[in-house]
């Protein structure tokens, strides 16, 4: 191994970075060592990604210095970072969908015989690495055809290919199923054993405990402290992160009295994007004042179910009724249906629009936001400010483009918009994905409040623990079918686990 | 139509397709890099004038060609500066180039031939194939009695395909129009790639202008490109940003052009204007999905903001 290329310590000293209206990083000191996994924990918008982008040369700090092995370095560009042995997996995929996996990996790398692309040696290296790390990737498959889990591995493979000595992983497990996340965590440990330094960002405390050697907690752009997560309680970590106690256990709730059927699905069949059956003869009823949790491994029809109910996907058989009205197209009535989609970037938000424009997206044509065909910005701004306050959206004001908000606050914009008109039925798909603990707690609170108001809530999540804490009833989906419909108050976690894998045997034993 | 005129038509079709193909190849690179260059029409027109001027002054055909390419590149550089560095609206900038080109060529048109009693034809690209081949029945005039630039125009799509798919730079260009942020995080300069793409399109638009004059007419006339640069934009859509397919679309459009000219003189039941419309009708058909999905580079037309990563 090239000695000059080795990295033993990396130190960031006094890093500050200001964006219009926010101090994203406030005099941050931070250090990683080779052979260590260093976690970063912090609320949405705490400045984690900003700090990492500075380290990777994508942003320049307003002040502060970076030292590599004790020597001061300037990182002006990702190329400079790459030359220093720093690699980064970004919070959002940096893959070109129309290129193959291999082309994505070699992009930007020097080749043996310039200007030729010369993919053959790279293909061999690709296959060696996938074998060594037990990844199931084919070099020639186009990226658009890969499931998200594989896309995440491809991102990691990019770093291995460059033989990065410092790996920055910005929420790499956010989009992974539990099993895939497990494999990723053990691979991260392996990287550390190989003598690499790893910075690991995640909102999940269990992952932190499992994988990191120490964790630095950020809040509002500054360092709260650095601790060994195995030596402190989860509650204490949460307290450091959010600045108050966080309650994520199952909550007491009174049964809702005036129950009536809001969502009625009968014999629903539909196809997925690849034209294969995604749902098979689904029957499901959701009543007012109840939260029905949908458990299951990602990709077993949950997304298609949500899309059918909201009218975004055509179904091939069966019927769906919401408050006795049949669903036969996209539903515009915001008092009938609220929908928190799984992918906030693609379907939840118009990223270039401002916060207020996104908040009013579905109702701007109505009074009082439009009068005689003219948009009433004053009314809209008032409404937006009220929602920002009610839902605790952290933004300098309502007029910033929503893509300048941190991931968690973007999600709150979607939640606020969808709940603001008090829908009879609420479909929420992975509403807490990528959110910090405090934000997860508030989304849970909002959903529970909707239930208590009398809304029917369908809550889809691949995170079993939150399905357990939030639901009144739990259905488990496997391969496009509902495997079981269980009362959440007295449910057997192991049974759900079996059902998620498609084993029905346990069900007969417990009537 | 007798055999002779069919023969004549096919030869003209190929000759007239050549300028379109040259401009089309440049178009592939600029749009793949994520920048529209509707200014190719005007750049081509300026290329026509520059090549005539340099040819009149120096008498050298190749210098004339080079000069057209150089001036084209310069216009490309300006377009790149405005759209990449200043992040100006690409359509507005392109339209400005077209209007500027029209104005300046009209203005200089009378100066161009000052001192000549009549407008002389400048030297044309030579025909290089051996006479035996040129005299072959039927195919001789079509394939071999063509000016040398035509062969370049037919070779370029192959070369461009090779560059796009077999070189590192080609990979970078294919990537940058789709996802510039990913290209930036891979350690490449997004702006540099975009500049290169746009400048290449300017250079080839200039060359296309030279080819129009020096392969076909030998004269400059105001507004002589007559929408050919726009036809190329259409060919990019029909050819799905693939050099060979784009070239094929250009040949089709060239043929339509040649046919239209003949239809004007011949007594024909179909009005010749229909053939003038053909490229655009085809584009509408392509956009309506009749030739399969036509989705261009994902971020073409959108300014790239490195801060919003
Ligand atoms: N390009 C930008 N322009 C303006 N403001 C920005 C920009 N990028 C980030 N910010 C702001 O800086 C702050 C920190 O954002 P950052 O993305 O670093 O948070 P984070 O800790 O990574 O959050 P999350 O957990 O949601 O990913 C936020 O308030 C955000 O709105
Ligand atoms: Mg982040």
């Amino acid at each position: 191994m090239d000695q000059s290329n080795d990295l033993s310590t990396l130190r960031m000293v006094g890093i500050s970075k200001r964006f219009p209206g926010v101090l994203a990083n406030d005099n941050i000191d931070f250090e990683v060592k080779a052979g260590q996994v260093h976690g970063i924990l912090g609320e949405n918008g705490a400045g984690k990604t900003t700090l990492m982008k500075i380290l990777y040369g994508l942003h320049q700090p307003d002040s502060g210095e970076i030292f590599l092995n004790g020597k001061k370095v300037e990182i002006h560009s990702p190329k400079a970072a790459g030359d220093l042995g720093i690699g980064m997996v970004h919070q959002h995929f940096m893959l070109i969908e129309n290129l193959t996996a291999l082309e994505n990996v070699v992009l930007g790398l020097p080749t043996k015989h310039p200007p030729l692309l010369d993919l053959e040696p790279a293909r061999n290296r690709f296959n060696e690495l996938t074998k060594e790390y037990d990844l199931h990737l084919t070099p020639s498959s186009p990226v658009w055809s890969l499931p998200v889990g594989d896309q995440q591995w491809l991102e990691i493979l990019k770093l291995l290919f460059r033989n990065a000595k410092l790996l920055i992983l910005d929420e790499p497990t956010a989009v992974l199923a539990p099993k895939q996340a497990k494999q990723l965590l053990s691979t991260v440990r392996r990287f550390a054993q190989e003598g690499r330094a790893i910075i690991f960002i995640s909102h999940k405390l269990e992952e932190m405990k499992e994988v990191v050697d120490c964790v630095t907690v950020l809040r509002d752009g500054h360092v709260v402290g650095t601790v060994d997560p195995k030596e402190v309680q989860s509650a204490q970590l949460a307290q450091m992160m959010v600045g108050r106690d966080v309650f994520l256990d199952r909550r007491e709730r009174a049964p809702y009295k005036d129950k009536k059927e809001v969502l009625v699905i009968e014999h629903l069949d539909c196809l997925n994007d690849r034209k294969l059956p995604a749902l098979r003869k689904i029957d499901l009823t959701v009543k007012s004042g109840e939260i029905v949790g949908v458990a299951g491994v990602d990709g077993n029809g949950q997304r298609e179910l949500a899309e059918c109910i909201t009218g975004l996907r055509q179904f091939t058989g069966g019927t769906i009724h919401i408050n006795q009205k049949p669903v036969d197209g996209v539903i515009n009535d915001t008092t009938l249906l609220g929908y928190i989609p799984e992918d906030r970037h693609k379907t939840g938000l118009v990223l270039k629009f401002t916060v207020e424009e996104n908040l009013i997206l579905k109702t701007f044509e109505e009074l009082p936001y439009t009068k005689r065909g003219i948009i009433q910005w004053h009314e809209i701004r008032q409404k937006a400010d009220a929602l920002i306050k009610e839902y605790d959206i952290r933004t300098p004001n309502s007029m910033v483009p929503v893509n300048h908000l941190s991931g968690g606050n973007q999600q709150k914009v979607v939640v606020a918009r969808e709940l603001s008109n008090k829908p009879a039925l609420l479909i929420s798909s992975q509403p807490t994905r990528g959110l910090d603990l405090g934000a997860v707690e508030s989304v849970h609170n909002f959903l529970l409040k909707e239930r208590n108001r009398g809304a029917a809530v369908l809550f889809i999540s691949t995170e079993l623990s939150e399905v357990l804490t939030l639901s009144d009833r739990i259905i488990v989906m496997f391969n496009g079918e509902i495997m079981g419909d269980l009362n959440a108050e007295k449910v057997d976690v192991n049974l759900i686990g079996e059902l998620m894998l498609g084993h029905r045997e346990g069900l007969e034993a417990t009537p | 139509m007798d055999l002779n005129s069919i023969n004549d038509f096919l030869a003209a079709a190929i000759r007239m397709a050549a300028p379109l193909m040259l401009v089309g190849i440049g178009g592939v690179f600029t749009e793949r890099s994520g920048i529209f260059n509707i200014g190719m029409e005007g750049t081509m027109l300026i290329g026509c004038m520059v090549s005539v001027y340099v040819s009149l002054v120096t008498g050298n055909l190749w210098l004339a060609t080079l000069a057209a390419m150089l001036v084209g590149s310069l216009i490309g550089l300006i377009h790149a500066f405005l759209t990449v560095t200043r992040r100006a609206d690409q359509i507005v900038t392109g339209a400005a180039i077209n209007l500027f080109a029209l104005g300046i060529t009209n203005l200089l048109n009378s100066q161009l031939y000052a001192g000549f009693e009549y407008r002389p034809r400048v030297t044309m690209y030579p025909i290089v194939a051996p006479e035996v081949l040129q005299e072959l029945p039927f195919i001789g005039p079509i394939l071999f009695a063509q000016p040398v630039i035509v062969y370049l125009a037919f070779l370029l799509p192959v070369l461009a395909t090779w560059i796009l798919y077999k070189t590192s730079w080609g990979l970078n260009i294919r990537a940058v129009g789709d996802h510039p942020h990913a290209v930036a995080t891979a350690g490449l300069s997004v702006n540099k790639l975009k500049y290169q793409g746009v400048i290449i399109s300017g250079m080839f638009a200039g060359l296309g202008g030279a080819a129009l004059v020096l392969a076909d007419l030998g004269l400059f006339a105001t507004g002589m490109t007559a929408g050919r640069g726009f036809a190329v934009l259409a060919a990019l859509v029909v050819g799905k940003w693939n050099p060979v397919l784009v070239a094929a679309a250009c040949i089709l459009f060239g043929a339509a052009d040649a046919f239209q000219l003949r239809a004007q003189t011949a007594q024909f039941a179909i009005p010749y204007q229909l053939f003038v419309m053909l490229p655009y009708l085809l584009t509408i058909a392509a956009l309506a999905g009749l030739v399969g999905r036509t989705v261009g580079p994902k971020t073409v037309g959108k300014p790239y903001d490195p801060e919003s990563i």
Side-chain angles (χ1 to χ4, degrees):
Chain A
M1 208 173 282
D2 185 3
Q3 205 57 36
S4 64
N5 199 16
D6 261 8
L7 182 150
S8 59
T9 58
L10 185 125
R11 213 149 60 83
M12 300 178 86
V13 181
I15 302 281
S16 293
K17 173 78 182 175
R18 180 178 289 282
F19 290 116
V22 266
L23 186 56
N25 284 171
D26 179 8
N27 201 14
I28 291 185
D29 294 331
F30 179 79
E31 180 172 355
V32 267
K33 293 195 180 74
Q36 266 196 355
V37 183
H38 196 125
I40 301 184
L41 206 54
E43 284 185 281
N44 296 122
K48 307 178 292 292
T49 299
T50 304
L51 187 68
M52 293 305 112
K53 282 183 182 164
I54 288 171
L55 186 50
Y56 193 60
L58 284 166
H59 287 319
Q60 296 307 312
D62 298 336
S63 61
E65 295 173 328
I66 301 174
F67 297 91
L68 188 78
N69 301 339
K71 234 175 60 208
K72 184 166 186 262
V73 288
E74 302 277 346
I75 306 178
H76 288 299
S77 65
K79 176 155 187 351
D83 292 344
L84 294 172
I86 302 172
M88 176 160 175
V89 170
H90 298 262
Q91 194 167 353
H92 302 289
F93 287 129
M94 290 295 171
L95 297 171
I96 296 122
E97 298 203 332
N98 286 330
L99 301 185
T100 65
L102 182 61
E103 286 172 331
N104 268 282
V105 167
V106 300
L107 183 71
L109 283 179
T111 59
K112 273 225 178 71
H113 308 283
L116 289 186
L117 189 50
D118 208 7
L119 285 175
E120 277 329 298
R123 192 185 307 274
N124 294 336
R125 179 95 200 283
F126 188 106
N127 288 330
E128 272 166 37
L129 283 170
T130 46
K131 202 145 148 214
E132 189 179 341
Y133 289 92
D134 193 24
L135 314 177
H136 301 278
L137 290 168
T138 325
S140 55
S141 31
V143 166
W144 58 261
S145 72
L146 299 178
V148 279
D150 287 357
Q151 295 194 12
Q152 192 62 281
W153 281 112
L154 187 58
E155 289 280 22
I156 289 169
L157 192 68
K158 282 206 269 190
L159 308 194
L160 293 174
F161 218 85
R162 287 158 173 76
N163 200 9
K165 292 298 186 316
L166 168 63
L167 287 77
I168 305 168
L169 309 178
D170 194 352
E171 300 193 30
T173 55
V175 293
L176 297 185
K179 211 175 128 208
Q180 295 168 319
K182 271 259 170 319
Q183 191 192 355
L184 191 125
L185 295 185
S186 63
T187 311
V188 167
R189 281 310 326 173
R190 177 167 166 194
F191 290 153
Q193 270 152 28
E194 291 167 350
R196 303 177 205 258
I198 297 103
I199 301 176
F200 184 85
I201 301 179
S202 169
H203 290 293
K204 300 176 187 160
L205 296 183
E206 322 87 70
E207 287 183 1
M208 283 292 171
K209 287 195 184 268
E210 189 176 334
V211 76
V212 306
D213 298 293
C214 59
V215 56
T216 296
V217 181
L218 297 186
R219 192 194 320 151
D220 290 335
H222 62 262
V223 176
V224 182
T226 298
V227 293
D228 181 342
K230 289 172 200 82
E231 283 170 10
V232 296
Q233 298 281 315
S234 293
Q236 201 179 333
L237 273 178
Q239 159 81 31
M240 281 173 82
M241 201 169 122
V242 192
R244 60 179 165 83
D245 288 326
V246 178
F247 184 80
L248 285 175
D249 293 338
R250 190 171 173 84
R251 271 160 237 261
E252 287 307 312
R253 60 193 77 189
Y256 186 74
K257 293 206 189 64
D258 187 24
K259 277 203 174 185
K260 58 182 179 50
E261 295 182 345
V262 176
L263 172 70
V264 180
I265 299 177
E266 282 170 329
H267 300 315
L268 184 66
D269 285 314
C270 88
L271 303 178
N272 64 15
D273 293 339
R274 299 198 181 119
K275 302 276 173 258
L276 299 171
L279 296 177
R280 304 161 203 265
K281 296 249 172 305
I282 297 257
D283 291 302
L284 176 66
T285 304
V286 184
K287 295 186 183 140
S288 50
E290 77 174 348
I291 298 180
V292 175
V294 181
V297 178
D298 213 3
N300 276 291
Q302 298 98 317
R303 186 158 67 92
E304 287 81 3
L305 178 63
E307 288 175 351
C308 283
I309 298 171
T310 51
L312 293 171
R313 180 178 291 270
Q314 277 194 332
F315 36 96
T316 48
T319 56
I320 303 175
H321 286 86
I322 303 175
N323 270 351
Q324 275 97 49
K325 285 196 214 71
V327 173
D328 54 6
V330 179
I331 301 169
N332 295 324
D333 184 352
T334 49
T335 59
L336 190 64
L337 175 79
Y339 176 41
I340 302 170
E342 158 179 330
D343 186 334
R344 56 177 168 260
H345 278 179
K346 284 195 189 130
T347 33
L349 295 165
V350 184
L351 286 173
K352 297 234 149 129
F353 278 20
T354 62
V355 172
E356 60 191 19
E357 285 166 339
N358 271 290
L359 282 172
I360 214 76
L361 208 54
K362 289 193 171 171
T363 44
F364 74 93
E365 284 176 310
E366 296 163 14
L367 281 169
Y369 310 120
T370 297
K371 273 190 200 138
R372 288 182 287 277
I374 296 173
I375 292 203
Q376 305 295 313
W377 284 109
H378 184 70
E379 301 283 347
I380 290 180
R381 199 147 296 156
Q382 263 183 356
K383 174 74 178 173
D385 287 338
L387 287 173
I388 286 171
K389 203 156 162 234
E390 184 181 349
Y391 290 87
D392 188 27
I393 301 167
R394 310 271 171 88
T395 171
N397 57 56
S398 65
M399 287 160 285
V400 294
V402 80
N403 62 358
H404 285 178
L405 264 54
S406 77
N409 285 297
Q410 292 179 2
Q411 182 71 343
K412 286 190 202 162
V413 172
V414 180
V415 172
R417 181 184 68 216
E418 296 301 322
L419 300 189
S420 61
N421 259 8
K422 305 206 178 351
L425 173 66
L426 177 68
I427 310 289
S428 65
S429 264
Q430 317 284 4
T432 62
R433 187 175 268 178
L435 297 203
D436 70 58
L437 289 176
V440 170
E441 185 194 29
S442 54
V443 168
H444 285 185
N445 282 340
F446 288 131
L447 293 182
L448 212 56
K449 215 166 101 197
E450 289 302 296
R451 170 211 182 262
N452 293 336
R453 170 177 69 76
V457 181
L458 190 70
F459 175 67
I460 301 171
S461 172
T462 47
E463 211 64 51
L464 184 53
S465 58
E466 70 172 357
V467 174
L468 290 169
T469 59
L470 206 57
S471 313
D472 296 297
R473 257 168 64 206
I474 297 176
I475 62 168
V476 185
M477 287 191 69
F478 175 75
N479 201 11
E481 289 182 63
I482 293 181
M483 302 300 289
D485 191 336
L486 311 154
N487 182 340
E489 293 289 348
K490 41 189 176 218
V491 77
D492 175 3
V493 181
N494 293 328
L495 174 61
I496 294 190
E498 288 293 306
L499 290 173
M500 280 168 69
L501 296 173
H503 305 153
R504 239 187 200 130
E505 295 79 20
L507 209 54
E508 276 87 55
T510 50
Chain B
M1 247 189 192
D2 56 78
L3 200 63
N4 247 344
S5 51
I6 291 179
N7 192 281
D8 185 45
F9 158 69
L10 288 175
I14 286 187
R15 199 174 60 245
M16 298 181 76
L20 296 180
M21 293 164 77
L22 294 169
V23 183
I25 291 306
V28 168
F29 284 98
T30 183
E31 292 202 2
R32 287 270 189 163
S33 81
I35 307 279
F36 278 126
N37 188 357
I38 66 164
M40 290 190 301
E41 166 81 11
T43 313
M44 204 178 166
L45 187 59
I46 290 181
C48 292
M49 178 171 260
V50 168
S51 61
V52 168
Y53 175 73
V54 175
S55 188
L56 287 175
V57 172
T58 67
N60 188 321
L61 165 80
W62 303 109
L63 272 183
T65 309
L66 267 181
M69 290 170 76
L70 204 70
V71 173
S73 309
L74 247 157
I75 299 172
L77 177 68
I78 294 168
H79 187 56
F81 173 74
L82 292 171
T83 56
V84 181
T85 306
R86 312 293 326 166
R87 287 185 230 150
D89 187 294
Q90 298 168 15
I91 301 298
V92 174
T93 311
I97 290 176
N98 288 337
L99 292 174
F100 167 77
L102 209 56
I104 189 119
T105 51
N106 279 350
L107 178 72
L108 297 179
N109 184 32
S110 53
Q111 311 290 310
L112 184 63
Y113 289 102
F116 291 97
E117 252 170 67
Y118 59 98
R119 299 200 155 196
R121 281 178 185 265
V122 293
T123 328
M124 311 277 264
Y125 289 116
I127 296 169
V128 288
E131 297 233 338
V132 258
L133 290 176
Q134 287 185 43
E135 280 159 13
L136 285 176
F138 197 70
I139 58 164
I142 302 173
L143 294 183
F144 300 108
Q146 296 283 9
V148 59
I149 192 91
V150 167
Y151 303 102
L152 179 69
F154 273 80
L155 217 68
L156 263 175
V158 181
L159 184 68
T161 306
W162 182 82
I163 290 175
L164 271 183
Y165 292 94
K166 296 287 176 205
T167 70
S168 311
W169 182 79
L171 176 65
N172 301 348
I173 284 282
R174 279 188 290 145
V176 74
D178 263 351
H179 196 337
H181 289 306
V183 171
T185 56
L188 295 164
S189 163
V190 171
N191 284 1
K192 191 165 138 195
L193 286 166
K194 285 179 182 272
Y195 262 84
Q196 289 166 342
V198 180
I199 290 174
I200 287 173
S201 74
M203 183 177 86
F204 277 108
L207 177 62
L212 186 64
V213 173
L214 304 177
D216 210 15
L217 302 171
L219 294 168
F220 180 81
T222 52
M224 68 184 291
T225 46
R228 283 183 177 79
F230 295 129
V232 165
L233 294 175
L236 289 171
V237 178
V238 177
K240 300 180 184 178
W241 297 267
N242 172 310
V244 172
L245 293 181
V246 168
C250 288
I251 294 173
L252 193 64
F253 293 178
D257 204 11
F259 199 80
Q260 168 263 122
L261 283 177
R262 273 151 193 77
Q264 280 189 50
T265 48
Q267 299 294 324
F268 247 5
I270 316 164
Y272 73 89
Q273 284 91 342
L274 273 181
F275 293 95
V276 184
M277 281 158 48
L278 186 71
Y280 307 103
L281 285 178
L282 269 175
T283 310
I284 293 171
L287 288 172
L290 295 187
V291 292
R293 244 161 60 100
T294 47
V295 184
K298 284 198 187 117
T299 64
V300 67
K302 297 186 189 128
Y304 166 70
D305 174 9
E307 284 284 314
S308 77
I309 199 160

